[in-house]
Amino acid sequence: MDSSSTFLVDASSIHSSSTSSVDASPIDNVDTADDGLTLENVLYAGSSQNRCVICRRIRDSSTNMITMPKSSRLDLLIVHRMYATQNVRCCEQHIVGHDRLNPMDTVEMNDRKNLKTTLPPQELLLILEDLLTLIQEAIKSPRLDFRDPALSNDDYLTWTGWNIAQFDMMFDMLSPFLRSSCNREPRNALAIFWIKAKTNLSFSQIGSLFNYTGDSEARRKRVADTFDSVRILLVRNLVPLNLGVYHLTRDQALIHNTAFSKEFWDNKVTIIWD
Ligand SMILES: [Zn+2]
């Protein structure tokens, strides 16, 4: 369905164009189109192909714009009460993770007409269907999710003992193997291993955090299986790169020399048996 099937009601005469927040008081009722239904308090985001729907930047050679994915349009509707039709475009940088709208980005309200959204019944049915699917996914989704771009460096350190960069590096190394050997989402599977190592929460408690289905014993078993799969992968693919005499070159080993070894052994490669 293209944007031309969306009917608009100009509410700019009711609200000043300088309104800077979508949390403003409800838009007053105006006449509703005969064959459409007007959504109260939902602004119409516009349908321009040349402007970013989020920051209103005009498309030029320096901006990388993409068609806004459906899940990010739903984010816009739920979080910002703003409806964007299919085929609207936005800067690539506003989309993070699995096609979600970056929660840190603000929606530019200046230079935007204050239009209510009026939709034909068919389009409303589609939105309702999409929203129901989203609610279904939300019910099943992990309470702690390491795909969530809103997790901070401190969150990563607290839960896993690694910062985001370190976690990402490890994940990149293991992800080809994680996909083929774990039945859970790979990034969360790696997080589960480190959460157990860092916090020593019980497997069942970790299962609750990640919203594993089933009773306590079923959760415990599934988390324990995930933990074991990741442990085996780490032993096979990560530990050999960081353990033993041969994981370093001679030059790399010299960097590890201390003032003590430089003084007593003339800055030669030193192995300390402790
Ligand atoms: Zn933008």
Side-chain angles (χ1 to χ4, degrees):
M1 189 164 302
D2 68 24
S3 56
S4 63
S5 62
T6 301
F7 298 89
L8 305 175
V9 180
D10 189 344
S12 56
S13 59
I14 300 162
H15 274 279
S16 150
S17 61
S18 64
T19 303
S20 60
S21 164
V22 287
D23 295 331
S25 57
I27 302 162
D28 293 344
N29 272 328
V30 290
D31 290 340
T32 306
D34 288 343
D35 51 353
L37 203 122
T38 302
L39 302 177
E40 294 300 324
N41 303 325
V42 176
L43 290 177
Y44 179 69
S47 59
S48 169
Q49 295 282 303
N50 293 322
R51 270 180 181 268
C52 168
V53 74
I54 306 298
C55 69
R56 307 295 289 151
R57 205 166 148 190
I58 294 172
R59 189 181 183 188
D60 60 29
S61 54
S62 68
T63 53
N64 201 6
M65 283 202 191
I66 56 170
T67 301
M68 207 174 174
K70 184 165 81 176
S71 42
S72 59
R73 288 192 294 116
L74 287 173
D75 286 338
L76 189 67
L77 180 60
I78 293 165
V79 180
H80 299 281
R81 292 291 187 107
M82 187 174 282
Y83 176 72
T85 53
Q86 289 179 39
N87 304 324
V88 293
R89 299 175 76 83
C90 70
C91 310
E92 199 172 25
Q93 76 213 35
H94 303 307
I95 308 300
V96 290
H98 294 256
D99 290 344
R100 305 311 297 260
L101 190 63
N102 188 338
M104 304 300 175
D105 284 353
T106 49
V107 176
E108 178 57 58
M109 294 305 294
N110 289 328
D111 189 26
R112 195 190 289 271
K113 278 189 178 175
N114 208 344
L115 297 170
K116 285 206 286 191
T117 304
T118 301
L119 300 170
Q122 191 57 34
E123 196 154 338
L124 261 177
L125 286 176
L126 286 176
I127 293 179
L128 188 63
E129 183 61 36
D130 288 344
L131 288 174
L132 287 175
T133 308
L134 196 71
I135 292 170
Q136 213 168 24
E137 283 171 12
I139 290 170
K140 292 179 189 165
S141 70
R143 293 172 181 114
L144 179 64
D145 190 349
F146 281 77
R147 293 167 299 176
D148 183 353
L151 280 188
S152 69
N153 223 22
D154 281 347
D155 293 327
Y156 272 79
L157 280 168
T158 306
W159 285 112
T160 69
W162 302 104
N163 63 32
I164 294 176
Q166 290 167 331
F167 188 92
D168 283 348
M169 200 167 71
M170 206 181 306
F171 179 70
D172 288 344
M173 232 178 232
L174 294 181
S175 57
F177 312 106
L178 275 167
R179 281 197 181 88
S180 56
S181 62
C182 288
N183 55 7
R184 284 301 291 196
E185 196 285 320
R187 198 171 171 88
N188 284 335
L190 180 61
I192 281 171
F193 176 87
W194 288 111
I195 289 170
K196 178 65 184 168
K198 171 85 189 327
T199 68
N200 203 26
L201 286 172
S202 72
F203 284 139
S204 173
Q205 287 166 330
I206 295 173
S208 299
L209 280 177
F210 285 88
N211 209 3
Y212 276 29
T213 50
D215 59 16
S216 174
E217 177 54 22
R219 286 201 304 271
R220 188 201 64 74
K221 193 169 178 326
R222 283 187 63 197
V223 174
D225 287 347
T226 301
F227 179 88
D228 276 340
S229 304
V230 174
R231 181 182 55 79
I232 291 165
L233 289 177
L234 284 167
V235 168
R236 275 190 203 148
N237 302 292
L238 191 81
V239 173
L241 303 176
N242 297 281
L243 190 72
V245 175
Y246 297 108
H247 86 279
L248 287 174
T249 64
R250 181 179 172 77
D251 288 339
Q252 286 170 331
L254 281 172
I255 296 170
H256 290 262
N257 268 357
T258 61
F260 180 84
S261 48
K262 282 176 191 167
E263 181 66 27
F264 284 88
W265 290 288
D266 197 20
N267 202 25
K268 291 173 182 161
V269 170
T270 313
I271 297 173
I272 297 173
W273 297 81
D274 196 359

